[in-house]
């Protein structure tokens, strides 16, 4: 079996899937469980970690956030998503080309390519989204980088790279680790971690904004599998 020497880390929301309606409903339910009040306004979600969204949502709804809110809210959010498993399948959407791109990367064997995730989601919700929408088969979800309320996305990228390398008994160089994501904040995280990024204009940023942020390659979406594979290959030579 080929030992992989390239790692592709996928962002989830707005890169692979769109589960915006379920996310809003889950946040509203978690907010009520945590605060006893209805949520009037949800903070922007694009390119952000769960902790950022939670603290800002609390502030938007006139609740002064404190350290106790985060563990309670994230636990309630995990419960709310789990209760909406069927809604993820019915209302969620796999973005164009995402399924084909993951499958194509799984077939790359010269050199071997490992795939995991780097996301602002907490792990239970990230895994649930990918599992319910049928994208989990080729992704190593045990070694990914997930929101913990402690690390930045750049630090999580390094953590996912190290975890995946340890599992495969190899070391993925920073420059052999490609992040595929959709927001200028993701571009910044990749730069800090010293890794290239392929950005797709499927989230809250335009292709021009992603180029201006310094993305190494920019695609309109993932529908051109060949273009994505070429970009990843060229960036990791």
């Amino acid at each position: 079996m080929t030992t992989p020497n390239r790692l592709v880390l996928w962002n989830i929301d707005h890169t692979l899937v769109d589960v915006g309606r379920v996310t809003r409903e889950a946040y509203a339910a978690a907010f009520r469980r945590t605060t006893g009040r209805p949520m009037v306004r949800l903070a922007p979600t694009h390119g952000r970690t769960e902790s950022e969204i939670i603290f800002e949502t609390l502030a938007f709804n006139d609740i002064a956030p404190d350290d106790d809110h985060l563990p309670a809210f994230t636990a309630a959010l995990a419960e709310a998503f789990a209760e909406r498993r069927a809604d993820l399948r019915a209302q969620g959407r796999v973005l164009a080309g995402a399924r084909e791109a993951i499958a194509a990367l799984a077939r790359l064997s010269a050199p071997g390519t490992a795939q995991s995730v780097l996301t602002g989601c907490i792990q239970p919700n990230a895994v649930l989204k990918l599992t319910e929408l049928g994208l989990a088969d080729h992704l190593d979800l045990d070694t990914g980088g997930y929101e913990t309320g402690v690390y930045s996305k750049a630090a999580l990228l390094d953590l996912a790279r190290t975890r995946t390398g340890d599992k495969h008994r190899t070391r993925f160089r920073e420059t052999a680790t490609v992040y595929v994501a959709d927001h200028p904040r993701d571009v910044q995280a990749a730069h800090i971690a010293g890794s290239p990024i392929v950005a797709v204009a499927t989230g809250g940023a335009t292709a021009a904004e992603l180029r201006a942020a310094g993305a190494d390659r920019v695609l309109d979406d993932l529908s051109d599998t060949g273009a994505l594979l070429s970009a990843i290959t060229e960036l990791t030579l």
Side-chain angles (χ1 to χ4, degrees):
M1 183 175 181
T2 302
T3 299
N5 58 8
R6 176 195 293 124
L7 173 61
V8 176
L9 295 173
W10 292 96
N11 182 59
I12 298 175
D13 289 291
H14 314 298
T15 300
L16 296 176
V17 304
D18 179 0
V19 293
R21 180 175 174 182
V22 178
T23 296
R24 287 189 292 273
E25 292 174 353
Y27 261 93
F31 187 94
R32 184 179 287 277
R33 289 176 190 175
T34 305
T35 68
R37 292 166 47 180
M39 183 183 76
V40 176
R41 181 183 175 191
L42 176 64
T45 60
H46 290 272
R48 312 183 79 191
T49 63
E50 217 88 79
S51 57
E52 291 176 302
I53 299 167
I54 289 169
F55 283 132
E56 193 164 305
T57 296
L58 290 167
F60 281 174
N61 289 271
D62 298 322
I63 294 176
D66 60 41
D67 290 341
D68 292 335
H69 277 120
L70 186 59
F73 204 119
T74 53
L77 192 61
E79 291 175 2
F81 261 94
E83 292 165 357
R84 288 163 176 78
R85 185 184 296 267
D87 293 340
L88 284 170
R89 294 192 297 270
Q91 300 171 17
R93 179 170 63 97
V94 177
L95 296 182
R99 195 182 311 278
E100 295 78 5
I102 293 171
L105 280 167
R107 292 191 294 269
L108 281 183
S109 59
T113 300
Q115 297 185 76
S116 188
V117 297
L118 170 60
T119 175
C121 295
I122 57 175
Q123 186 169 1
N125 292 354
V127 172
L128 196 64
K129 293 171 190 179
L130 295 169
T131 301
E132 294 305 317
L133 290 174
L135 296 179
D137 287 350
H138 299 302
L139 301 176
D140 191 337
L141 300 181
D142 293 331
T143 64
Y146 303 95
E147 159 71 356
T148 65
V150 177
Y151 301 106
S152 67
K153 264 196 171 181
L156 289 172
L157 193 157
D158 280 334
L159 183 60
R161 183 171 56 81
T162 300
R163 284 174 173 168
T164 311
D166 289 346
K167 181 170 182 176
H168 290 279
R169 298 183 180 180
T170 189
R171 179 183 178 275
F172 295 106
R173 293 177 292 110
E174 289 88 343
T175 54
T177 302
V178 180
Y179 189 24
V180 184
D182 62 82
H183 198 275
R185 285 185 169 204
D186 299 319
V187 177
Q188 182 185 38
H191 286 174
I192 292 171
S195 292
I197 179 167
V198 177
V200 289
T202 49
T206 65
E209 288 170 333
L210 294 168
R211 290 189 187 95
D216 297 283
R217 298 288 190 279
V218 177
L219 303 174
D220 289 333
D221 55 31
L222 295 172
S223 60
D224 189 339
T225 304
L228 175 69
L229 296 185
S230 294
I232 290 171
T233 301
E234 291 166 7
L235 291 170
T236 54
L237 288 175

